[in-house]
């Protein structure tokens, strides 16, 4: 599972940098091999994940930090309580985390 996650995060990162992208006209993936080869790629998942988290806004990082205290899954009612007590916009921050593939939203 870690290898799959590492590969997924790496591909997302390369796509965001514009090094790997899908060409609609060619109907296939295209990439810049020189840029990929010259890029420093972390050798483990933790370094890749840390780098990706550091690129998130402070609000999204705070939301992930708050959620991490509750384990693998959290009910939306807990998120709403946290929003009130911490005076954070957790739902919008967590939506960004979902969009960036750091979280999965169930229902």
């Amino acid at each position: 599972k870690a290898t799959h996650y590492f590969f997924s995060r790496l591909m997302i990162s390369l796509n965001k940098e514009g090094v790997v992208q899908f060409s609609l006209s060619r109907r296939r993936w295209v990439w810049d091999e020189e840029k990929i080869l010259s890029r420093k790629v972390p050798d483990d998942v933790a370094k890749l994940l840390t780098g990706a988290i550091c690129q998130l806004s402070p609000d999204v990082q705070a939301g992930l930090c708050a959620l991490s205290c509750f384990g693998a899954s959290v009910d939306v009612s807990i998120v709403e309580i946290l929003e009130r007590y911490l005076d954070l916009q957790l739902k919008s921050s967590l939506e960004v985390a979902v969009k960036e593939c750091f979280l999965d939203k169930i229902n």
Side-chain angles (χ1 to χ4, degrees):
K1 191 169 184 176
T3 302
H4 169 73
Y5 184 78
F6 181 79
F7 181 75
S8 296
R9 293 301 319 170
L10 178 61
M11 293 307 294
I12 289 168
S13 173
L14 291 172
N15 183 255
K16 281 185 177 185
E17 293 172 19
V19 178
V20 174
Q21 49 195 325
F22 189 78
S23 170
L24 293 175
S25 61
R26 294 171 149 174
R27 291 186 279 173
R28 65 181 179 95
W29 288 94
V30 295
W31 56 89
D32 185 329
E33 188 172 350
E34 284 183 29
K35 284 185 181 178
I36 292 172
L37 293 174
S38 68
R39 186 177 186 273
K40 183 172 172 33
V41 177
D43 57 357
D44 66 39
V45 176
K47 287 180 185 175
L48 186 66
L49 185 57
T50 301
I53 289 173
C54 287
Q55 292 179 358
L56 296 172
S57 74
D59 289 343
V60 177
Q61 289 182 34
L64 288 172
C65 184
L67 233 58
S68 71
C69 298
F70 294 92
S73 64
V74 178
D75 191 85
V76 71
S77 63
I78 299 295
V79 173
E80 291 167 350
I81 292 169
L82 288 171
E83 278 188 319
R84 283 194 302 271
Y85 285 100
L86 298 176
D87 195 30
L88 294 172
Q89 297 298 317
L90 281 178
K91 284 184 184 175
S92 59
S93 294
L94 297 177
E95 288 295 333
V96 171
V98 169
K99 182 180 175 227
E100 296 294 324
C101 302
F102 285 98
L103 298 174
D104 289 326
K105 187 174 182 178
I106 301 171
N107 297 331

